[in-house]
Structures are given as C-alpha cells and as structure tokens.
C-alpha cells in the first residue's frame, strides 16, 4: 500500500517499493516530496524528504476508502448543477411552498421569539431530554387521557429526530433482546437498514409494495410477518409510508395487529409524519393508538422534522409503551445509559420550540391550522397531477393510485430507466426507485410533470 | 437470586472501567408458549408463567368464544376509529375493552435491570432533590457566576439575536455546518495553519465532545479493528462508556500521582514506552478532567518526542480551550507542539464550556491526514458513521459558534468573556486554598492552585465525600473532584470549613 505525493517543485516521482494498491496523488506539501510505502511490508518504508526539518508520518488511515455518495442527497446535488430552466427537484424530502421555497412555520418563528425574550439559559438537559417536551410528545402521540400515560407505562426519551430515536431503540434491542430480529418493509426509508446494521440488529424484509397494483401487497405482508420467528420486532410506518405513500386501511391495520398478537411480535412504529399526512394529528396516530389499546408493548420513534419544519434542529423522541410502570422506569433508565456514550444529552433548542408550541393553546391551534395547510397543499397537488395525467394519457392507464397514496412521497411505478429518462430528458430529479416528493411540486408544474411521466412510462422500455 | 439479578451497579464508579458483565448474567430464552428463566425466584417465575398463560389465552376459550371475542375486538376497533375521528375526548371513555382484549401481554422487557445513576449527572439530580438552604453543588462541570447562576455569554445572546428568524431550518449536510467547521479548525490548529490551507484535515460537526469522541471510537472500530485505546487514569467517566459501546478494547496509562496530587510523569512515560508501537492514546489537551493536572510545556515536548519514536496516534480531547488559562492559543499549546513535530493527530473539540453552549451540543471532530484526497475519504466515512446515529447534526449551536467566531467584534467579545470565566475560577482556587490554610489544616493544599481548569482533584476519599454530602449538603463526585465553577465568594468559606472538618 503506497501513497505518493508530488511536490510542485519536485522534478520526478520516486520508484515505489511494495505493492501499490492505490496511488493517491494529493496536494503536495510545500517544500516536501515524500513517498511512503506501508502495509504488509512495514520495513519497506521509504521516506524521502527534501528541505524539511521534520519527518512526515505515514497516515494510519491510508486504507480508508471513499464512502459511496448518499443516494438521496446526490439527487439534490445533481439538481443544483443543472442549468435547464424547467428543472424540477422531486428528490427532496423537505416541504416546499407553492413557490418552491423552504418554509419556516409561523408558530415556530413566534416560539423562537418568545424564547429569545425569555432569555433562558443553555444548561445541559438531563440525558432523557426536556421534561416539558417529553410530556408533550407522548400526549400528542397517544392522547393525554390515554390509559398508558395515566398509568405511567410510557418511557419517553428525547432523541435526535427520527434517526436518533430509531438508533436508541435499535441499540436497546441489540442489548436486551439479542436473539430477536427486526422486519422492515420492502421498500423502506434507506437509512433504516444502516441504523440496524450499525446497531448490530439482524433484519429481514416483509413484502409491502405491489408493483402490479402500485399498492399494498397485503397478503404478502401478512404471510411474511407470520413466517417470522416469534418475538420479532416489526417496523411499521405509522402513517404516510416512506417511500411509497401507501398506508394500510383501518381494517388492514386490525388484521396486522391480529397477526402480531398471534406470533408474539412487538410493533415498532416510525412516526415521522404525524399531522402531516392527513392534516389531523389524531387521525395520523390511529395505527399506533390501535396497537396500544390492544395491549401490545410498543416502540414508537417520533420526528418533528416535517410536521413542525424543524429539520435541522434534530428533535424527536423514542417512546416505549410497557406493560407496567415499573418496567417503563427501568427501560427508560437503560435508554439513557445508551444515549450517554453517544451524545451525553440531547440538543435543547428544538425541544424548547416544540414545548412552547404545544404548551400554548393559541400556538397549538395555529400549528394545527398550518399543518392542515401543508397537508392540504400536497393533496391539491396530487389532485392536479392526477387530473393532468388522466386527461393527457389516452392509454386508459389508471393513475388513481396517486390519489390513494398519502403523505409527502409517491411511488409512481416508474422503473430505473424510466426514472433516468425523467432526469435526462425532462430535467426532473427524482430517486431511481420511481419515488417523487410531492412536497417539491407546485400546482404550476403539474402539467409539465404529467407530460414527463407519460412520456417516460410509455416510451421508455 | 436477589444478589445475582439485582447486580450491584454502584460498583461502576467514575474511574473504574464501566464494562457491563452483568448483562450476560441474565439470559432469557423466549419460546411461544413457555418462558425459561434463569436467576429468577419462584414467585417471579409464577407471575411470569401466569402472564404467559394469559398470553396464550386463546387456549382457555372454546372456538365459538374465540370468534365472539374476535368480533367484539374488531367492532371495538371500528368504533374507536370513528370516535377518534369525530372527537378526541370521547375515544377513551366510551370504549371499554372486552374480556381478553386488554389483557397485558407478558412484558418482553421484564428482565431489564434499572441502570445505575450516572455518577456525574446523578450528583446534580441528588442536589436538586435536597431541600437544605446551605446546599452547594460542586459536582457537574458547568460554569456558574459568582452568584451561583448559570451564565449565557453576551456574545452568544448577540449571536442569537442576529440569527433569529433569518434562516430556514433545512437539514445541514451530513458533515454539519462547513462554516462552523472552518472556524473550529482555525481555533484548534491555528488561524494560518497550513494544514487547513492544504485541506488535509477531515473534519465533521459533532454532538459536542461526547459525539466527537464517539465518532472517532466508531471510526477506529471500523477501520482499525485490531486497535485499542489507551485512556489515562483517571479520566472523565464517560470516556470508558464511549469506547466500550463502540466495542473498542481499552487499556489505561498512569497519569495522576496521588501523593503529590500532580502528574506522575515517569510512570506516564514508561507506560507510553511499554505500549506496543502504533497504539492509540487519548490525551486531554488542557485542563485535565477530573484532576486539573496538565503536563508542562517541556513535558509535552518529551511526550511528543516519545510518541514519534513509538509511532503512537494521539487523539486530543479538547473540551476547555480558552477556559483553562483564559487564552485559547495558550491552551492549544500541546496540540501545536505535536503538529510541529509532524504527528498526524485527531482532535475532539467541544464548545459546551468555553462558549457556554452546553445544551446545544456543538462540537467538532477532526483528523489530520496525509493529503487532501485522504481527508475527503476519511470525512466521507465519518459522515457515514453519523448518518445512522442522527442523520445530520443540530444547527442552532453551530450557527452560534460560526456567527461568533466569524465576526471580529463578536470574537473579541468572546475572548474577553472566556478570560473572565477563567479568571474567576483561578481567583476561587486562590481563595479556597487561602481559607483552608487559614483554618490551620495540617494537609498541603497547594495542589488547588497548581491544578488548572474547571476541576480540582482534592485528594479526598469517597468516605470523606459522603460525609460532605450527608453532613454539609455539599455535592460532588465521589472521586473527590470539585468543580471550581460551582465555588463562589458566597460559599467558599462554608466549603473550606466543611473540607477542613472532614479531613482533619
């Protein structure tokens, strides 16, 4: 393994000893030309220094390979680089207004103003996070008069948005249920697999998306969940499934609960869009509340990135609804013990914003109204897109799945080459699995998008 | 049974290795209808057996009854759904679960033991619970002013005013705020550092010092799986947690000399020499936590020299830059010495103390690489490690840091304020020592002023500390570490008196 650095002032490279796996031609050090070879042939270390007083050390991390680019962020980067006027970014998983601008909710601005005036200190939060936030988030999820909250059976720990909360739960599963595995939907949010991999929790997939109907493969889902070893954790999206936008109906949720009960599985909910999917906080929490009522012990990871627009503040929570308050206390203490060596205690700013918004009745109503507005815009965009597609497409294909899907994302049913055509020919940036983010679509652009989709669907393989 | 399952987690004291062998003692094998339990009492087994029985309750009912139960359950669900949609308030009170539905499943987590209280943060919890008016908190390392109140720096308030309402809250890139990273690197490596110009430093925004150390530990585990980490004795308790949870084996090296309450330099050098070539060492850049004992400049040079001949890798944990002496450049001296000697270093920075941004979790992890390309690769991998932990880091603290350090006026104000904090602490050290000497204490207290930074290793035993807590309502960690930031002109006399009483 060798690395080679050329100095701007040196004349010629020096011959290498050892097996060069990788030639790294990097920015030269001023005044130094050095060649180092290391690896199996440690003795063959060859330093040639020129006019420098100190010997340059060989890096420990020579062999570190470049990580692959993130499949989702790469889309935004390509979009930024594109110069075409009609370009459209449908990769982004962040809400945009009709003018396709990022949106900071009014209630958030008001809450921040309040916080600035109050001038609170910046002391460490306890490991489990801001108490006012934890109370508010559990009540939002389950309903303040929910029996599990009244009987103190809910262990809530503030987490670093959805990702951090999922990671805490995964680390807990790895430590306390080491023989269990997690079942995740196929497809699911890309980072789910990374989280369970890094936490050392084995996972497998259950069928979810049916490309033929562009809908839910319910029979396949039930069959796969039934086939899993008893006591598995089933990762379910509370509402607005990412990336498909396809949610089970209430009847289907009941059947899913039946299967979980039969097999002794534990439901593990990822709730990233409560309030954002339908516009109603309670309606979007239906699935979680159903399982809690049925007497399950439930994991729920929450995020306020989308519904309060607090993306970069990293605010969320992990809730574990347990069978007794004693168990809940112990589980909470162990979640804290997992968090301490990860980040000690969570960031305060986002938590305060949420607590202020939820704690003030006026701000809370205003928030609900703003959420309805955001969800409403997405619904309108879906309707417009569906109308445009139905009118323009003479082939008789049924595009109504767009109306049936819910939330920010829609699985269009386009395959990889068709998605690439969307990008290459029409400058519509989306992920290769056919997912579009309706949050990045405006009513004005629906027409153009409809043309693009019809062209890609019919004219590309 | 009791002794086995209710493991004595109070053994896990601050400076002992915080490994968790107890986790392996309680094993639970779960089958669908029966639970095999080890280390449980007869009554516990019976309770869980009954719970399991309820779990397989279907067997208790006839087929017809089961159909009826199912019908009731489904109907109940539909009703609940409708009720929920129409009104949030009515959903709970109207619906009464039918028999067998709301039965508690036996908990999957019954075997989970309560975690021991964190030795450091647990002190504050106990302090808050104490009703005594004389109570003093010299436990957690958070700065207090002379009235014992938390402080938000003026420069921070001003920065917040500037950023309020101006920017959206879009996700930061995975590596964090590039502006903040740039400023952090200038602070640590020097304003005009060539390494920054040559882009040789792989750096990401991290969740304060803890997050930075954890990222490095995970990176070490993934890319140098055969390596170990050498940690000083004593050190901040959470260091052991971090490398343990990252599953990197730990070793220790001697650091603190109990007799002199200073640095055990010869043992330190010996341990460095005896470690196998190419080992990873965790070094506190300044204001060692918990002892407050730092090597002198000359000693740092010798350490660096020895590191070179042993080809060790130094990871600097710098949580107190500016806070130790009052001068950030001076506090970074150790790092600069190593850089001058040609070491490739790692550095975990925190802005919790020196900018008072504790709860904002603002920090930075940097690794100096051979060249730009390597730095890009290493940074990409650090980001890859952060993605499944928190996706991207929180923005607010980062904005405050970059606003302050990026603006010359604000930066000047910050430097003044950080010097003010350091000076107050140095003043308190002097006063505490003087008080103890005036009380006629037979012991030597010069280590109070010899040590530097927020903490003072008093040399008191755990029993003496317990007496301080129980008799005088003075809260500190049981290793005798006093957080000087919690000492004020108002309580220094009381503190000195109490210490004198328990040590005479």
């Amino acid at each position: 393994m060798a690395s080679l650095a050329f100095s701007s002032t040196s004349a010629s490279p020096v011959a290498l000893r050892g097996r060069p796996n990788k030639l790294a031609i990097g920015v030269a050090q001023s005044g130094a030309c050095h060649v180092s070879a290391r690896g199996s042939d440690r003795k063959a270390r060859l330093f040639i220094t020129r006019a420098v007083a100190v010997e340059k050390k060989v890096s420990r991390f020579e062999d570190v390979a470049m990580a692959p680019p993130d499949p989702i962020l790469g889309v935004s980067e390509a979009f930024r680089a594109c110069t075409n006027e009609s370009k459209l970014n449908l990769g982004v998983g962040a809400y945009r207004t009709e003018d396709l601008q990022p949106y900071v909710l009014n209630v958030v601005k008001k809450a921040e103003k309040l916080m600035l005036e109050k001038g609170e200190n910046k002391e460490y939060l306890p490991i489990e996070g801001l108490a006012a936030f934890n109370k508010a988030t559990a009540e939002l999820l389950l309903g303040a008069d929910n029996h599990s909250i009244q009987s103190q059976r809910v262990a809530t720990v503030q987490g670093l948005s959805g990702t951090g909360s999922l990671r805490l739960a995964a680390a807990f599963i790895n430590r306390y249920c080491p023989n269990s595995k997690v079942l995740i939907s196929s497809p699911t949010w890309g980072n789910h697999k990374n989280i369970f991999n890094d936490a050392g929790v084995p996972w497998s997939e259950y069928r979810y998306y049916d490309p033929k109907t562009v809908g839910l493969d319910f029979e396949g889902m039930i069959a796969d969940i039934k086939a899993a070893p008893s006591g598995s954790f089933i990762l379910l999206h509370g509402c607005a499934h990412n990336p498909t936008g396809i949610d089970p109906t209430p009847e289907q949720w009941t059947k899913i609960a039946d299967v979980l009960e039969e097999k002794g599985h534990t439901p593990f909910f990822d709730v990233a869009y409560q309030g954002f999917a339908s516009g109603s906080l309670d309606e979007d929490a239906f699935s979680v509340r159903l399982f809690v009522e049925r007497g399950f012990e439930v994991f729920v990871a929450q995020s306020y990135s989308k519904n309060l627009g607090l993306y970069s503040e990293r605010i969320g929570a992990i809730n574990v609804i347990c069978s007794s308050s004693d168990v809940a206390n112990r589980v909470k203490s162990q979640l804290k013990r997992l968090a301490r060596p990860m980040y000690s205690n969570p960031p305060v700013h986002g938590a305060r914003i949420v607590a202020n918004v939820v704690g003030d009745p006026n701000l809370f109503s205003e928030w609900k109204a703003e959420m309805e507005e955001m969800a409403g815009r997405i619904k309108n965009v879906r309707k417009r897109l569906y109308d445009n597609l139905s009118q323009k497409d003479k082939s008789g294909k049924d595009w109504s799945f767009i109306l049936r899907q819910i939330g920010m994302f829609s699985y269009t049913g386009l395959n990889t080459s068709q998605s690439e055509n969307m990008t290459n020919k029409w400058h519509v940036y989306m992920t290769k699995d056919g997912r579009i983010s309706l949050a990045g679509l405006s009513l004005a652009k629906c027409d153009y998008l409809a043309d693009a989709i019809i062209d890609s669907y019919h004219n590309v393989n | 049974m009791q002794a086995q399952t209710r493991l004595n987690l109070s053994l896990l004291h601050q400076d002992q290795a915080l490994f968790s062998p107890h986790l392996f003692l309680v094993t639970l094998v779960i089958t669908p209808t029966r639970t095999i339990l080890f280390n449980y009492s007869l009554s516990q087994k019976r309770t869980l057996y009954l719970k399991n029985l309820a779990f397989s309750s279907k067997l208790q009912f006839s087929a017809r009854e089961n159909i009826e139960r199912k019908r009731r359950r489904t109907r109940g669900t539909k009703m609940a759904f409708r009720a929920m949609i129409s009104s949030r308030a009515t959903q709970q009170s109207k619906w009464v679960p039918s028999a067998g539905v709301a039965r508690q499943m036996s908990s999957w987590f019954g075997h989970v033991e309560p975690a021991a209280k964190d030795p450091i943060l647990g002190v504050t919890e106990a302090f808050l619970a104490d009703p005594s008016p004389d109570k003093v908190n010299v436990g957690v390392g958070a700065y207090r002013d002379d009235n014992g109140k938390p402080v938000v720096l003026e420069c921070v308030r001003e920065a917040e005013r500037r950023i309020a309402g101006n920017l959206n809250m879009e996700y930061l890139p995975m590596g964090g705020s590039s502006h903040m990273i740039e400023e952090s690197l200038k602070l640590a490596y020097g304003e005009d550092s060539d390494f920054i110009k040559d882009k040789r430093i792989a750096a990401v925004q991290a969740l304060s010092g803890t997050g930075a150390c954890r990222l490095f530990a995970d990176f070490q585990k993934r890319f140098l799986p055969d390596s170990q980490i050498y940690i000083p004795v004593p050190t901040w308790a959470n260091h052991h947690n971090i490398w343990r949870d990252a599953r990197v084996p730990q070793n220790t090296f001697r650091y603190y000399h109990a007799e002199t309450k200073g640095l055990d330099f010869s043992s330190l050098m010996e341990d460095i020499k005896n470690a196998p070539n190419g080992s990873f060492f965790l070094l506190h850049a300044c204001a060692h936590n918990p002892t407050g004992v730092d090597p002198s400049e000359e000693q740092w040079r010798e350490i660096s020299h020895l590191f070179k001949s042993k080809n060790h890798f130094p990871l600097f944990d710098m949580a107190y830059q500016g806070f130790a002496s009052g001068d950030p450049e001076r506090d970074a001296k150790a790092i600069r010495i190593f850089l001058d000697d040609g070491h490739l270093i790692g550095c975990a920075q925190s802005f919790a103390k020196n900018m008072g941004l504790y709860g904002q979790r603002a920090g930075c992890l940097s690794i100096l690489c051979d060249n730009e390309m390597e730095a890009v690769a290493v940074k990409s991998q650090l980001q890859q490690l952060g993605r499944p932990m928190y996706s991207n880091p929180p923005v607010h603290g980062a904005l405050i840091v970059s606003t302050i350090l990026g603006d010359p006026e604000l930066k000047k104000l910050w430097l003044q304020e950080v010097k003010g904090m350091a000076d107050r602490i140095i003043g308190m050290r002097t006063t505490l020592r003087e008080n103890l000497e005036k009380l006629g204490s037979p012991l030597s207290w010069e280590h109070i002023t010899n040590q530097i930074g927020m903490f003072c290793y008093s040399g008191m035993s755990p029993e003496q500390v317990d007496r301080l807590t129980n008799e005088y309502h003075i809260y500190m960690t049981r290793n005798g570490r006093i957080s000087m930031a919690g000492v004020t002109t108002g309580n220094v006399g009381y503190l000195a008196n109490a210490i004198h009483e328990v040590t005479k």
Side-chain angles (χ1 to χ4, degrees):
Chain A
M1 173 63 236
S3 79
L4 193 63
F6 290 98
S7 152
S8 53
T9 58
S10 81
S12 58
V14 183
L16 305 171
R17 283 170 65 182
R19 290 175 293 114
N21 285 353
K22 178 176 90 179
L23 284 176
I25 300 172
V27 172
Q29 297 312 303
S30 48
C33 160
H34 99 271
V35 168
S36 58
R38 69 191 292 273
S40 54
D41 192 7
R42 265 185 185 266
K43 283 187 195 156
R45 191 171 296 185
L46 184 67
F47 286 97
I48 295 174
T49 57
R50 235 186 60 175
V52 278
V54 299
E55 189 178 270
K56 238 191 87 194
K57 287 186 72 170
V58 177
S59 174
R60 219 47 73 98
F61 311 117
E62 198 74 23
D63 294 332
V64 172
M66 185 74 175
D70 190 275
I72 300 173
L73 285 177
V75 173
S76 287
E77 280 173 27
F79 170 80
R80 271 193 289 272
C82 171
T83 50
N84 188 291
E85 272 172 6
S86 30
K87 66 179 181 176
L88 199 54
N89 187 358
L90 300 184
V92 67
Y95 181 81
R96 295 281 177 272
T97 61
E98 174 64 24
D99 302 318
L100 298 183
Q101 294 303 314
Y103 180 57
V104 178
L105 275 73
N106 286 325
V107 285
V108 169
K109 290 189 187 147
K110 287 185 185 170
E112 283 207 298
K113 194 147 159 283
L114 269 174
M115 284 158 58
L116 205 59
E117 283 159 20
K118 261 193 247 176
E120 283 167 303
N121 65 49
K122 298 189 181 305
E123 295 300 289
Y124 289 127
L125 284 179
I127 305 178
E128 68 266 31
L130 187 66
F133 167 77
N134 288 347
K135 179 166 183 292
T137 198
E139 289 178 358
L140 226 75
L141 178 69
L142 300 169
D145 36 11
N146 188 289
H147 180 257
S148 56
I149 294 185
Q150 304 278 333
S151 52
Q152 294 171 337
R153 290 187 287 117
V154 183
T156 303
V157 169
Q158 181 187 335
L160 289 154
S161 200
T163 307
S165 310
L166 287 162
R167 178 58 177 264
L168 274 185
F172 182 89
I173 292 171
N174 168 263
R175 192 174 276 189
Y176 291 100
C177 311
N179 302 317
S180 301
K181 72 170 177 178
V182 173
L183 265 77
I184 60 181
S185 67
S186 168
T188 191
W189 180 48
N191 209 21
H192 279 146
K193 296 176 185 167
N194 296 337
I195 293 170
F196 293 114
N197 282 342
D198 275 26
V201 175
W203 54 268
S204 66
E205 288 178 303
Y206 59 86
R207 281 167 283 173
Y208 192 83
Y209 173 63
D210 185 355
K212 292 193 287 297
T213 59
V214 196
L216 178 59
D217 179 1
F218 188 60
E219 297 309 319
M221 177 180 181
I222 295 292
D224 288 346
I225 294 178
K226 257 197 204 154
S230 256
S232 297
F233 288 83
I234 313 296
L235 186 66
L236 301 160
H237 296 227
C239 61
H241 184 270
N242 178 359
T244 64
I246 299 162
D247 283 350
T249 62
E251 289 72 29
Q252 288 174 326
W253 274 122
T254 308
K255 293 213 184 74
I256 294 169
D258 289 341
V259 178
L260 263 78
E261 194 177 305
E262 193 188 310
K263 295 288 302 193
H265 293 322
T266 299
F268 185 170
F269 278 96
D270 186 353
V271 176
Y273 299 98
Q274 187 186 3
F276 199 92
S278 66
S280 155
L281 285 163
D282 291 322
E283 203 178 311
D284 287 345
F286 166 73
S287 54
V288 175
R289 294 180 187 180
L290 166 68
F291 279 75
V292 171
E293 281 316 304
R294 290 275 294 258
F296 284 92
E297 288 185 315
V298 191
F299 277 90
V300 187
Q302 290 172 283
S303 163
Y304 289 89
S305 292
K306 326 302 191 278
N307 59 8
L308 255 178
L310 294 177
Y311 306 93
S312 56
E313 301 292 349
R314 317 313 294 134
I315 178 66
I318 177 69
N319 302 278
V320 188
I321 295 98
C322 307
S323 61
S324 74
S325 62
D326 180 51
V327 173
N329 276 337
R330 287 185 270 132
V331 167
K332 181 165 170 166
S333 76
Q334 295 295 353
L335 285 170
K336 282 161 66 171
R337 198 150 154 263
L338 287 159
R340 174 60 155 155
M342 260 197 244
Y343 48 82
S344 280
N345 39 68
V348 68
H349 197 76
R352 282 204 181 128
I353 295 177
V354 176
N356 274 311
V357 167
V358 175
D360 177 311
N362 292 331
L363 286 180
F364 188 54
S365 322
E366 217 185 302
W367 176 36
K368 286 198 273 199
E370 272 188 285
M371 229 172 357
E372 265 183 53
E373 223 182 278
M374 292 196 286
R377 186 181 100 64
I378 300 223
K379 280 186 201 155
N380 288 343
V381 159
R382 282 188 184 272
K383 184 87 184 35
R384 179 70 66 88
L385 181 62
Y386 167 73
D387 289 340
N388 284 345
L389 282 165
S390 312
Q391 281 160 17
K392 290 175 186 248
D393 185 16
K394 305 301 176 202
S395 75
K397 174 175 162 70
D398 182 14
W399 294 98
S400 63
F401 61 82
I402 291 187
L403 294 176
R404 284 196 301 274
Q405 291 165 357
I406 191 169
M408 208 184 263
F409 300 112
S410 173
Y411 242 34
T412 53
L414 296 173
N415 63 27
T416 311
S417 22
Q418 289 166 342
S419 303
E420 276 167 7
N421 182 65
M422 294 283 286
T423 306
N424 299 336
K425 183 168 169 195
W426 296 87
H427 313 287
V428 172
Y429 289 81
M430 53 190 274
T431 45
K432 300 273 180 279
D433 51 4
R435 179 191 92 163
I436 56 172
S437 165
L438 294 155
L441 183 61
S442 59
L443 287 170
K445 301 250 182 181
C446 285
D447 201 61
Y448 178 77
L449 182 62
D451 289 334
I453 292 176
I454 291 170
D455 171 62
S456 304
Y457 184 76
H458 288 296
N459 302 338
V460 179
N461 89 314
Chain B
M1 179 283 309
Q2 291 296 342
Q4 275 177 301
T5 47
R6 301 206 168 285
L7 278 140
N8 194 359
L9 296 165
S10 64
L11 281 176
L12 304 173
H13 272 299
Q14 38 273 33
D15 298 312
Q16 295 172 24
L18 292 165
F19 302 105
S20 349
H22 65 285
L23 291 167
F24 302 106
L25 282 183
V26 180
T27 56
L28 205 61
V29 175
I30 299 172
T31 66
T33 54
R34 199 175 296 274
T35 307
I36 305 163
L37 304 157
F38 302 105
N39 299 330
Y40 274 77
S41 76
L42 195 59
S43 61
Q44 281 184 318
K45 279 186 191 162
R46 192 179 56 208
T47 316
L48 279 158
Y49 174 69
L50 286 172
K51 278 189 178 174
N52 255 320
L53 206 57
F55 173 67
S56 40
S57 60
K58 265 194 187 167
L59 306 170
Q60 300 171 356
F61 299 96
S62 74
R64 189 143 55 95
E65 281 173 300
N66 276 329
I67 293 170
E68 173 62 22
R69 282 174 64 219
K70 190 164 182 182
R71 189 184 67 73
R72 262 185 272 141
R73 196 164 54 211
T74 319
R75 193 184 68 184
T77 307
K78 280 190 181 146
M79 276 173 54
F81 174 60
R82 285 193 213 109
M84 216 177 281
I85 296 303
S86 57
S87 149
R88 189 169 131 175
T90 58
Q91 62 165 315
Q92 297 305 327
S93 47
K94 290 281 165 60
W95 182 52
V96 176
S98 53
V101 171
R103 54 164 168 66
Q104 294 297 354
M105 287 170 64
S106 62
S107 174
W108 292 122
F109 316 118
H111 62 295
V112 173
E113 290 289 334
K117 290 232 174 293
D118 187 276
I120 301 170
L121 300 176
V123 170
T124 299
E125 279 179 31
F127 168 80
L128 289 169
D130 187 333
S132 161
D134 301 321
K135 61 180 179 176
V136 175
N137 186 1
V138 283
V140 75
Y143 182 78
R144 298 281 176 270
D145 63 12
D146 200 42
N147 297 315
K149 295 274 173 279
V151 169
V152 179
L153 301 183
E154 251 319 299
C155 58
V156 169
R157 288 264 183 248
E158 177 55 33
E160 283 208 296
R161 275 191 285 272
R162 290 188 196 181
I163 64 184
N166 282 345
L167 298 153
N168 61 54
M169 288 169 176
E170 296 299 289
Y171 290 125
L172 284 179
M174 276 193 286
S177 154
S178 46
H179 191 192
M180 181 230 188
I181 293 171
E182 202 185 300
E183 295 295 337
S184 305
L185 292 182
K186 288 204 308 222
L187 206 59
Y189 292 78
E191 283 275 335
D192 303 309
S193 166
D194 279 335
F195 305 120
I196 300 179
K197 289 205 196 85
D198 297 339
K199 304 206 185 138
R200 280 177 56 193
I201 309 177
V204 293
Q205 182 188 337
L207 290 158
S208 204
T210 307
C213 287
R214 177 56 179 266
L215 268 186
F216 185 84
D218 282 344
F219 181 80
Q220 191 183 344
K221 175 69 181 172
R222 188 171 283 186
F223 293 100
L224 293 129
D226 299 327
S227 66
Q228 298 181 326
I229 186 81
Y230 279 80
I231 298 184
V233 177
T235 192
W236 180 50
N238 208 23
H239 280 146
H240 293 295
N241 293 341
I242 291 170
W243 269 271
R244 178 201 65 214
D245 273 24
R247 295 177 231 232
V248 173
Q250 301 177 33
N251 263 313
T252 54
F253 62 93
R254 285 168 291 177
Y255 190 86
Y256 177 68
H257 198 217
E259 285 84 60
T260 58
K261 305 200 181 45
L263 182 63
D264 188 355
F265 189 58
S266 49
S267 304
L268 168 71
M269 295 297 270
E270 201 183 307
D271 286 350
I272 293 176
K273 203 178 293 182
N274 291 340
N277 283 12
S279 298
F280 283 73
F281 275 76
L282 174 71
L283 302 170
H284 297 227
C286 62
H288 181 271
N289 177 0
T291 66
V293 169
D294 283 349
S296 66
E297 199 173 309
E298 199 35 59
Q299 288 172 326
W300 274 123
R301 290 195 196 282
E302 286 188 51
I303 295 170
S304 170
H305 192 73
L306 184 55
F307 260 60
K308 248 173 57 179
S309 62
K310 295 287 295 181
N311 198 33
H312 290 328
F313 180 94
L315 171 70
F316 284 97
D317 186 350
M318 186 154 67
Y320 299 97
Q321 189 183 9
F323 205 91
S325 67
D327 176 9
E329 284 299 298
R330 198 165 133 198
D331 288 342
K333 192 71 192 155
I335 291 181
R336 308 287 169 84
I337 288 173
F338 272 68
L339 289 173
D340 286 340
D341 285 351
H343 290 285
L344 296 174
I345 69 165
C347 181
Q349 285 171 277
S350 164
F351 291 96
K353 326 295 193 281
N354 59 9
M355 265 195 209
L357 294 179
Y358 307 93
Q360 303 291 348
R361 320 312 294 129
C364 178
L365 171 68
S366 52
I367 298 179
L368 177 60
C369 301
D370 245 348
N371 52 59
E372 182 180 355
M373 206 162 116
E374 190 181 294
V376 170
V378 168
K379 176 168 174 158
S380 76
Q381 294 293 353
L382 289 173
Q383 286 173 187
Q384 197 84 319
L385 286 160
R387 171 65 155 155
M389 250 198 260
Y390 45 82
S391 281
N392 38 67
V395 71
H396 199 74
L399 278 176
I400 296 176
V401 172
S402 54
T403 305
I404 292 175
L405 294 179
D407 177 307
E409 284 304 312
L410 278 183
K411 184 166 179 184
K412 205 164 112 199
L413 177 57
W414 172 60
L415 289 170
Q416 280 169 11
E417 291 190 274
V418 95
K419 181 161 194 316
M421 292 196 285
D423 284 345
R424 188 184 94 67
I425 294 203
I426 293 170
M428 282 296 104
R429 285 184 181 272
T430 313
T431 312
L432 181 61
R433 177 182 165 181
E434 277 170 2
N435 278 9
L436 280 164
E437 287 168 353
K438 261 193 230 133
L439 284 166
S441 172
L443 307 168
S444 160
W445 295 102
E446 61 176 27
H447 56 279
I448 296 183
T449 45
N450 286 343
Q451 293 164 3
I452 190 171
M454 204 183 271
F455 300 112
C456 163
Y457 229 39
S458 58
M460 288 187 286
S461 69
E463 292 71 35
Q464 288 169 329
V465 170
D466 286 341
R467 277 191 66 196
L468 279 178
T469 306
N470 299 331
E471 294 171 33
Y472 295 91
H473 308 279
I474 294 174
Y475 290 81
M476 64 173 79
T477 47
R478 287 185 93 237
N479 53 9
R481 181 192 88 165
I482 301 175
S483 168
M484 295 305 301
V487 181
T488 67
T489 48
N491 64 25
V492 64
Y494 178 74
L495 182 62
N497 186 55
I499 293 176
H500 176 60
E501 288 299 315
V502 306
T503 55
K504 67 179 178 190

